[in-house]
Amino acid sequence: EIAELTADLFPNRALDGIKLRITAGPTREAIDPVRYISNHSSGKMGFALAAAAADAGAQVTLISGPVNLATPERVSRIDVSSAQDMYDASLADLQDCDIFIACAAVADYRPSEAVTQKIKKSADTLTLTLVRNPDIVSSVANSPQRPFTVGFAAETQDVLHYARDKLQRKKLDMIIANDVANTDIGFNSDDNRVVALWNGGEHAFDTMSKAQLSRRLIALIAEHFRTERD
Amino acid sequence: EIAELTADLFPNRALDGIKLRITAGPTREAIDPVRYISNHSSGKMGFALAAAAADAGAQVTLISGPVNLATPERVSRIDVSSAQDMYDASLADLQDCDIFIACAAVADYRPSEAVTQKIKKSADTLTLTLVRNPDIVSSVANSPQRPFTVGFAAETQDVLHYARDKLQRKKLDMIIANDVANTDIGFNSDDNRVVALWNGGEHAFDTMSKAQLSRRLIALIAEHFRTERD
């Protein structure tokens, strides 16, 4: 308890010199010049993690979808819009990345073709064909220059079951699961409650502010990163 | 010129006691609990019009989709999310509305059914069936207690042609047209350039700040409203 309190007050620089990349926020997939598909995500959790990682001494690159948040101090920010843009920024120069945290709410699907002129309302119904976007966190985890890779799982049911399946299927080192059916936490809230899962273990965090939770998560990630690397 | 300058400095209270309703921002149409369809709209133009109308003495109700903007002084705000919510708020107690300005970028279509659980990524392609949303500005303009009704037309081509067609088809009193293919103005910009069209006339405004443009537009709307009512 006291150790946890002091950890909050005196960051231990557990990530000194470590290159860390975080994705945050939603993506936008263009239907036409005025319409798009997106996901609920304020970006607050990813931005809080970026701030906590920078406080722990990491060189942080924050790859952010469209959000209304100020860039944390000592964090490099790359703004992107579509999942493909986020994929490109995430996979670029991966040899320069020690830890990758995929916190963004990436659109799984995009319209099969974005039209360059606004679609006119003529029909009563409209059929939109969507195709899969590249899976960013899986691509990172399965790349030759594989960093320590942490994913997020926002689920509305069977949260831990889906999260552990995703951890193994995508070959992640850790996954942070939260139940987005609970409207008190997650998404646009300042608080969050999550469970961190890894091969052979898990840790359930209490509900707390995203800032505080981020410091705990960064400490946990740093610990597992060091163990895996040693 | 001097008249225009002084009009900016000394609002003429042209809408004293007039009840005015403005829609602003985008709408969000749920695909499932985490995904939605939306439109590019910062809400800045609608919020600027609400502020200008309140300055001109109107009792302003601002019906706003999800935006990151502070409510202007002396303006009542109703927050909505979907086009159906915006429709309901817009059509309610329409006898208490003298002027209606539809500035929101309403989603024309919504998914035919929003699913309550997050859709799992299984298929390589996904077909989304969209159905038409109710046409808010047309419903207002064609209602028995018809207020003076102003629409907006955001177009990417043949802007004036489509705008005049929309003015007549929807039986609007005025339409404000802008070319959203021009990325310097409109959408998320602080500036805008528009053309106001009505039956038998039009006025092209220079590019100017949304605040300044709003004062000019409110003055023009007040003038036409008075003429029509007298």
Side-chain angles (χ1 to χ4, degrees):
Chain A
E1 177 66 17
I2 285 171
E4 285 200 343
L5 281 172
T6 53
D8 280 354
L9 292 170
F10 308 103
N12 59 6
R13 312 288 297 173
L15 295 177
D16 246 335
I18 297 299
K19 291 172 181 160
L20 187 145
R21 214 171 270 189
I22 299 181
T23 66
T27 66
R28 287 184 181 171
E29 311 300 318
I31 299 173
D32 68 14
V34 296
R35 302 175 179 90
Y36 61 86
I37 295 177
S38 193
N39 318 279
H40 292 287
S41 172
S42 65
K44 285 176 184 172
M45 191 67 217
F47 276 58
L49 280 167
D55 283 347
Q59 297 173 34
V60 181
T61 302
L62 176 59
I63 302 166
S64 178
V67 297
N68 280 282
L69 294 171
T71 309
E73 282 179 37
R74 301 181 306 283
V75 166
S76 302
R77 176 170 172 176
I78 300 171
D79 282 325
V80 296
S81 179
S82 69
Q84 185 63 53
D85 293 344
M86 189 172 274
Y87 176 91
D88 292 342
S90 297
L91 274 288
D93 304 317
L94 212 49
Q95 69 282 0
D96 279 340
C97 174
D98 301 306
I99 299 175
F100 184 88
I101 304 177
C103 191
V106 182
D108 302 322
Y109 292 90
R110 67 172 181 277
S112 57
E113 47 181 331
V115 298
T116 54
Q117 301 294 344
K118 185 180 173 184
I119 299 168
K120 288 285 151 199
K121 297 181 288 191
S122 43
D124 278 347
T125 66
L126 193 145
T127 304
L128 210 56
T129 304
L130 307 177
V131 297
R132 283 283 291 275
N133 271 323
D135 186 323
I136 297 173
V137 73
S138 177
S139 301
V140 168
N142 289 281
S143 70
Q145 315 97 335
R146 186 184 190 290
F148 184 92
T149 308
V150 181
F152 270 73
E155 303 291 346
T156 49
Q157 54 183 346
D158 290 339
V159 177
L160 295 187
H161 168 76
Y162 281 122
R164 195 162 284 285
D165 173 64
K166 195 170 169 180
L167 174 79
Q168 282 153 5
R169 191 166 29 85
K170 299 193 178 184
K171 302 191 173 68
L172 309 181
D173 295 290
M174 190 181 286
I175 196 159
I176 316 298
N178 65 337
D179 184 347
V180 292
N182 185 335
T183 54
D184 293 344
I185 52 171
F187 284 160
N188 198 39
S189 168
D190 289 321
D191 287 348
N192 203 353
R193 186 175 68 234
V194 304
V195 179
L197 302 95
W198 56 91
N199 276 320
E202 63 185 65
H203 182 84
F205 291 87
D206 292 333
T207 302
M208 63 184 91
S209 76
K210 287 179 177 174
Q212 196 176 15
L213 177 62
S214 293
R215 288 191 290 269
R216 303 279 169 85
L217 284 173
I218 288 297
L220 184 70
I221 289 166
E223 185 191 319
H224 282 255
F225 168 69
R226 296 282 177 202
T227 306
E228 197 153 303
R229 193 146 95 162
D230 291 344
Chain B
E1 176 67 19
I2 285 171
E4 284 201 344
L5 281 172
T6 54
D8 279 353
L9 293 171
F10 308 103
N12 58 5
R13 311 289 297 177
L15 294 178
D16 246 333
I18 297 300
K19 290 172 181 159
L20 186 145
R21 214 172 270 190
I22 300 182
T23 67
T27 66
R28 286 184 182 171
E29 310 301 318
I31 299 173
D32 67 16
V34 296
R35 304 176 178 89
Y36 61 87
I37 295 178
S38 193
N39 316 280
H40 291 288
S41 172
S42 65
K44 285 176 184 171
M45 191 67 217
F47 276 58
L49 280 166
D55 284 346
Q59 296 172 37
V60 181
T61 301
L62 176 59
I63 302 167
S64 177
V67 298
N68 280 281
L69 294 172
T71 310
E73 283 178 37
R74 302 181 306 283
V75 167
S76 301
R77 175 170 173 176
I78 300 172
D79 282 324
V80 296
S81 180
S82 69
Q84 185 63 52
D85 293 344
M86 189 173 274
Y87 175 92
D88 292 343
S90 297
L91 274 288
D93 305 317
L94 212 49
Q95 70 281 2
D96 278 339
C97 175
D98 300 306
I99 299 176
F100 184 88
I101 304 178
C103 191
V106 182
D108 302 323
Y109 292 90
R110 68 173 181 277
S112 57
E113 46 181 333
V115 296
T116 54
Q117 300 294 345
K118 184 180 174 186
I119 298 168
K120 289 284 150 198
K121 297 180 288 191
S122 43
D124 279 346
T125 66
L126 193 145
T127 304
L128 209 57
T129 303
L130 308 176
V131 297
R132 283 282 292 274
N133 271 323
D135 187 325
I136 297 173
V137 73
S138 177
S139 301
V140 168
N142 288 281
S143 69
Q145 317 96 334
R146 185 186 191 289
F148 184 90
T149 308
V150 182
F152 270 73
E155 303 289 348
T156 49
Q157 55 184 345
D158 292 338
V159 176
L160 295 186
H161 168 76
Y162 280 121
R164 195 162 286 284
D165 173 65
K166 194 169 170 180
L167 174 79
Q168 281 153 5
R169 190 165 31 85
K170 300 193 177 185
K171 300 191 174 66
L172 309 181
D173 295 290
M174 188 180 289
I175 195 159
I176 316 298
N178 65 337
D179 185 347
V180 291
N182 186 336
T183 55
D184 294 343
I185 52 171
F187 285 158
N188 197 39
S189 168
D190 288 322
D191 286 348
N192 203 353
R193 187 175 67 234
V194 304
V195 179
L197 301 95
W198 55 91
N199 277 321
E202 63 185 65
H203 182 85
F205 291 86
D206 292 332
T207 301
M208 62 184 90
S209 76
K210 286 179 177 174
Q212 197 176 14
L213 177 62
S214 292
R215 288 190 290 269
R216 302 281 168 84
L217 284 173
I218 288 297
L220 185 70
I221 288 166
E223 185 190 320
H224 282 254
F225 168 71
R226 297 280 177 204
T227 306
E228 197 153 305
R229 193 146 94 163
D230 290 345

